[in-house]
Amino acid sequence: MKPSPVSNCERRFLLRAIEEGKRLDGRQCYDYRNVRISFGTEYGCCIVELGKTRVLAQVSCELVPPKPSRPTEGILFVNLELSPMAAPGLEPGRQSDLLVKLNRQIERCLRNSRCIDTESLCVVAGEKVWQIRLDMHLLNHDGNIIDAASIAGIVALCHFRRPDVSVQGEEVTVYTPEERDPVPLSIHHMPICVSFAFFQQGTYLLVDPSEREERVMDGLLVIAMNKHQEICTIDSSGGIVLLKNQVLRCSKITAVKVAEITELIQKALENDQKVRKEGGKFGFAESIPNQKITAFKMESAAVDTNNVEEQAEEIITKADPPSEVFANPVLYTPGTAQIGEGIENSWGDFEESEREEAAEEEGEGDATASECQKMEIEGTSIIEETKTDEPILLSDSEEEEVVILQPQELPKKTRAQTNLKQGSTSKKAFIKRRKKKRAAH
Amino acid sequence: VAMELWGYRAMGGSCLRPFSCELGPLSRPDGSAAFLQGDTSVLAALYGPAEAKGNRELPERAALEVLLRPKTGLPGVGERSREQLLRRTCEAVVLGRLHPRCAVSVVLQVVADGGSLLSCCLNAACMGLLDAGLPLASLFCGVTCALHPDGSLILDPTTRQEQEARAVLTFAIDSAEKKVLMASTKGACSMEEMQQCIAAAQSAADTIFQFYRDSIRRRYSKS
């Protein structure tokens, strides 16, 4: 699918609206879109919706040997995928500039800010550590992927539980969830990204740009911060000259937004925890609101499968037994094969010369005397054929050349007849030539 | 109700897990659907019919492309083979000749795997096609049957039931004549058992098509 471009009128319209302090979705300049968090049935699985932008995150873990440079630290691996379902221009498995940039930003936000205590992921120093893998998929692209992904990433990491392990001497035991309750990761703080879009060389500023706004913006500033107002990363896309007071203003806005989002995340996590403890229903099915007109739910439905055995028997008895007649291939003459029963070969018999050749091939050491006879036989057969008034199909290209070069002396004669005559004469000549050739051999 | 159903299952009958479906959850694609069968959840998005890219264009019909994205890691051989099965099934019902030289791409994202994943993918793909309003010859649904070692037949099995089962069979059934559009089996079973599974899948298909009909009716109840 090809990406859809933004038309000039659309661009002008958007920019003029921004100059007037209006946004297409009715938000104010500093408004953030609604954030909705829903959890799956497994631990470490969540979907975060930022307006219409949607990101799916899943955390998984495995025991691996640590990096030689850091033998006592676990590994955090972060990967964001731009699924082709998110927007028409995205291709699967392609490392586009946007994808590389986003992955690097997420990595800096989550890994380099040391929000996860990697030392607690060490099982046996220098031998076994936990590798935590965070997979994120962009499901719907409506702008501000980085904010949605950073929220989804940190929520999934907070929600995740790894299997409990115990070390006794050299032996490492990994307990299943039935044996021992899985343990959560130890998380120091929650870094959250907030994006600012700049227009008209930094004159106008919008928080949380939508997809359309991102396409007409001049520059982007991303600030990652935790609720203690510690800046984790700052990333400016370039393209605009940022002033000192602008960065300061943006970081103040970030502090407010991060406090709001952190509170929401904690509430969502607590809610899910409570439902799981009480044994209530949880998972994505529960997060679809019942009153939504586009959603429909069906309770577990019984299917009558009591008569399937009778039905199956009926079908099998009705079915024809497999046919056991197999066609025998018939070989009439050496060199021709035929498949099927009693079917005549429609390709016609051998031409005389071919038969001759075949015979020659069979008895290669024959005396040359018999060839004279053969020539005679051929001559008669050609005469016979002329009587039937049928054109002979001459297979040799040499002979056809002769036909073309021969001037037509008698226009009254039909073409077939001339052909025949020439054919017969040239054929004889041809055979003679061939004889000479053979003698030379 | 749950006890009754368990009793029913023990009697030799079988039941489908709770189904839910949301039509058009995504704003960007031309059609999208989220389909949930118990704990299994698949999100389908559809783009097209639109201009085909490069050499993918076919002169006489629409080129259909199915992509299946796993939840963790990169798509492997299993995903590729499932993509082929899904593509063939969709091609059987999509009236592609109405859109020559166009491309239709169906992207399926596994959101949660709790067993019967392939049948959930089929159902999500069909709902996605319906939401996009693509002309179809008929609908299709996916049904997974598991044959338990004790000989009982389980419809719509969970991951655990699939692991315990002797054979797992997945069928795609069309809505017009209840014929089998696609069959994929894992494990060994006899001819009789296979026919029993098809018969069971056909009767389960009735329930699923009724679910399709009800959700579409609800979707267009206010116009």
Side-chain angles (χ1 to χ4, degrees):
Chain A
M1 293 297 139
K2 284 182 181 170
S4 49
V6 178
S7 66
N8 284 344
C9 335
E10 212 171 353
R11 181 186 296 271
R12 263 200 304 275
F13 172 73
L14 278 164
L15 287 174
R16 191 169 310 159
I18 289 161
E19 279 170 25
E20 289 173 18
K22 290 180 179 118
R23 293 174 84 168
L24 264 187
D25 44 13
R27 279 185 289 162
Q28 295 298 312
C29 297
Y30 300 152
D31 283 359
Y32 215 75
R33 284 176 288 182
N34 280 335
V35 180
R36 190 165 166 263
I37 301 166
S38 43
F39 296 99
T41 43
E42 303 165 57
Y43 280 118
C45 177
C46 73
I47 289 181
V48 168
E49 288 166 56
L50 176 63
K52 282 172 184 165
T53 300
R54 203 183 272 228
V55 175
L56 166 72
Q58 170 73 60
V59 180
S60 48
C61 64
E62 61 176 329
L63 281 170
V64 291
K67 284 178 186 164
S69 56
R70 292 173 189 273
T72 57
E73 282 185 22
I75 302 162
L76 175 67
F77 177 79
V78 181
N79 183 41
L80 171 70
E81 291 264 339
L82 299 180
S83 167
M85 79 169 26
L90 301 171
E91 274 179 48
R94 202 172 136 252
Q95 286 280 326
S96 62
D97 289 352
L98 175 68
L99 182 59
V100 172
K101 197 183 96 183
L102 289 170
N103 261 318
R104 185 72 197 117
Q105 279 183 357
I106 286 284
E107 212 167 63
R108 285 195 319 195
C109 171
L110 295 177
R111 199 164 71 181
N112 300 14
S113 72
R114 308 197 153 269
C115 65
I116 288 183
D117 181 14
T118 43
E119 285 192 359
S120 72
L121 297 171
C122 177
V123 180
V124 180
E127 279 178 35
K128 284 249 178 308
V129 294
W130 283 109
Q131 186 192 41
I132 306 295
R133 190 191 163 101
L134 170 62
D135 279 280
M136 286 180 283
H137 300 269
L138 179 70
L139 303 178
N140 199 45
H141 178 20
D142 194 35
N144 208 356
I145 303 169
I146 185 79
D147 288 17
S150 80
I151 298 171
I154 197 71
V155 170
L157 287 169
C158 290
H159 190 248
F160 182 65
R161 302 283 184 274
R162 68 170 168 84
D164 199 4
V165 285
S166 71
V167 186
Q168 284 180 324
E170 292 281 295
E171 221 168 274
V172 178
T173 323
V174 180
Y175 295 99
T176 59
E178 287 81 23
E179 287 167 347
R180 272 197 199 178
D181 277 343
V183 286
L185 305 173
S186 70
I187 288 166
H188 295 314
H189 59 95
M190 292 203 267
I192 288 158
C193 292
V194 176
S195 302
F196 300 89
F198 291 95
F199 300 85
Q200 309 287 341
Q201 291 307 308
T203 324
Y204 302 98
L205 178 151
L206 296 183
V207 178
D208 182 22
S210 70
E211 198 253 349
R212 293 277 124 166
E213 287 162 353
E214 270 185 0
R215 293 179 101 171
V216 299
M217 73 186 172
D218 289 335
L220 187 76
L221 176 72
V222 181
I223 302 180
M225 200 186 263
N226 59 20
K227 72 171 178 188
H228 313 298
Q229 304 199 356
E230 293 166 333
I231 291 173
C232 299
T233 56
I234 285 192
D235 184 275
S236 170
S237 69
I240 42 157
V241 183
L242 278 175
L243 300 170
K244 208 169 20 179
N245 62 347
Q246 270 177 328
V247 178
L248 211 62
R249 193 167 63 166
C250 287
S251 59
K252 273 180 187 161
I253 298 166
T254 309
V256 177
K257 298 296 169 200
V258 165
E260 285 172 16
I261 296 165
T262 312
E263 201 181 322
L264 181 91
I265 291 173
Q266 271 162 350
K267 215 181 269 173
L269 284 165
E270 272 167 31
N271 254 353
D272 185 70
Q273 220 39 49
K274 210 171 96 187
V275 171
R276 275 172 203 262
K277 232 178 219 171
E278 286 168 359
K281 284 181 179 175
F282 52 90
F284 289 125
E286 298 313 306
S287 62
I288 298 176
N290 276 325
Q291 68 275 15
K292 223 176 183 177
I293 196 169
T294 52
F296 186 72
K297 290 182 188 181
M298 180 181 80
E299 279 306 305
S300 188
V303 175
D304 186 19
T305 52
N306 286 319
N307 60 342
V308 287
E309 279 174 39
E310 290 98 82
Q311 278 182 34
E313 237 168 71
E314 200 182 325
I315 288 166
I316 289 165
T317 48
K318 267 188 191 169
D320 292 325
S323 61
E324 289 184 8
V325 185
F326 294 100
N328 294 322
V330 181
L331 215 65
Y332 282 119
T333 37
T336 53
Q338 185 178 322
I339 293 170
E341 265 183 313
I343 306 164
E344 280 299 313
N345 190 342
S346 59
W347 290 5
D349 261 331
F350 270 144
E351 249 180 69
E352 290 299 319
S353 58
E354 280 176 16
R355 187 169 284 168
E356 184 195 328
E357 266 179 56
E360 272 174 23
E361 275 166 26
E362 271 177 29
E364 251 183 298
D366 266 11
T368 45
S370 64
E371 280 183 21
C372 257
Q373 272 189 326
K374 275 179 191 166
M375 205 181 75
E376 271 183 355
I377 291 164
E378 194 167 297
T380 51
S381 72
I382 286 166
I383 290 157
E384 273 170 21
E385 275 172 339
T386 52
K387 279 173 189 168
T388 56
D389 264 11
E390 272 177 35
I392 299 177
L393 294 168
L394 301 168
S395 56
D396 274 295
S397 57
E398 263 185 278
E399 288 157 7
E400 274 180 10
E401 274 168 33
V402 176
V403 173
I404 295 158
L405 289 171
Q406 192 86 13
Q408 287 211 330
E409 288 174 358
L410 299 164
K412 274 184 186 177
K413 279 186 179 176
T414 58
R415 207 180 157 210
Q417 277 171 331
T418 55
N419 258 356
L420 283 173
K421 268 204 170 174
Q422 286 154 8
S424 60
T425 51
S426 64
K427 197 150 203 172
K428 270 176 191 170
F430 175 64
I431 287 162
K432 273 177 192 166
R433 239 184 289 140
R434 205 161 55 179
K435 262 188 182 175
K436 274 179 196 165
K437 265 188 197 168
R438 201 167 286 139
H441 277 296
Chain B
V1 182
M3 282 306 287
E4 247 173 65
L5 287 168
W6 277 110
Y8 195 80
R9 193 168 264 203
M11 263 162 56
S14 196
C15 62
L16 302 169
R17 289 176 290 173
F19 278 30
S20 3
C21 168
E22 191 182 350
L23 287 159
L26 306 180
S27 68
R28 290 300 294 274
D30 298 316
S32 59
F35 204 93
L36 291 97
Q37 288 176 221
D39 289 341
T40 310
S41 170
V42 175
L43 190 64
L46 190 139
Y47 285 98
E51 188 185 347
K53 223 178 187 181
N55 51 4
R56 232 175 266 164
E57 136 182 340
L58 298 172
E60 83 287 4
R61 63 190 164 91
L64 195 76
E65 175 195 36
V66 176
L67 294 166
L68 181 59
R69 314 287 299 173
K71 205 178 177 191
T72 48
L74 293 166
V77 179
E79 275 77 25
R80 294 297 296 275
S81 83
R82 276 182 184 154
E83 277 175 9
Q84 293 301 316
L85 287 172
L86 289 158
R87 186 172 62 83
R88 297 270 174 192
T89 314
C90 293
E91 273 175 354
V93 297
V94 172
L95 297 172
R97 303 211 172 245
L98 296 176
H99 307 284
R101 305 178 61 196
C102 286
V104 176
S105 96
V106 181
V107 189
L108 299 162
Q109 172 72 53
V110 178
V111 178
D113 183 7
S116 312
L117 184 64
L118 185 55
S119 62
C120 193
C121 286
L122 283 162
N123 291 331
C126 186
M127 286 307 245
L129 288 167
L130 269 175
D131 187 56
L134 230 64
L136 306 174
S138 70
L139 302 179
F140 61 88
C141 72
V143 186
T144 303
C145 306
L147 289 167
H148 205 257
D150 66 11
S152 64
L153 191 155
I154 303 162
L155 280 170
D156 196 20
T158 59
T159 315
R160 195 177 199 140
Q161 286 167 332
E162 274 184 352
Q163 281 164 355
E164 286 169 356
R166 184 160 48 91
V168 179
L169 302 93
T170 304
F171 302 102
I173 311 281
D174 88 304
S175 65
E177 293 171 79
K178 300 269 178 309
K179 285 197 172 152
V180 179
L181 284 177
M182 188 276 291
S184 165
T185 66
K186 202 171 85 185
C189 67
S190 71
M191 184 98 97
E192 285 79 16
E193 283 166 339
M194 162 105 168
Q195 288 296 343
Q196 282 172 18
C197 286
I198 292 177
Q202 282 168 333
S203 55
D206 283 329
T207 317
I208 299 171
F209 287 130
Q210 191 56 49
F211 173 75
Y212 279 12
R213 208 164 288 131
D214 291 343
S215 36
I216 293 290
R217 189 173 291 150
R218 185 179 161 99
R219 169 85 169 79
Y220 295 105
S221 58
K222 283 182 194 168
S223 52

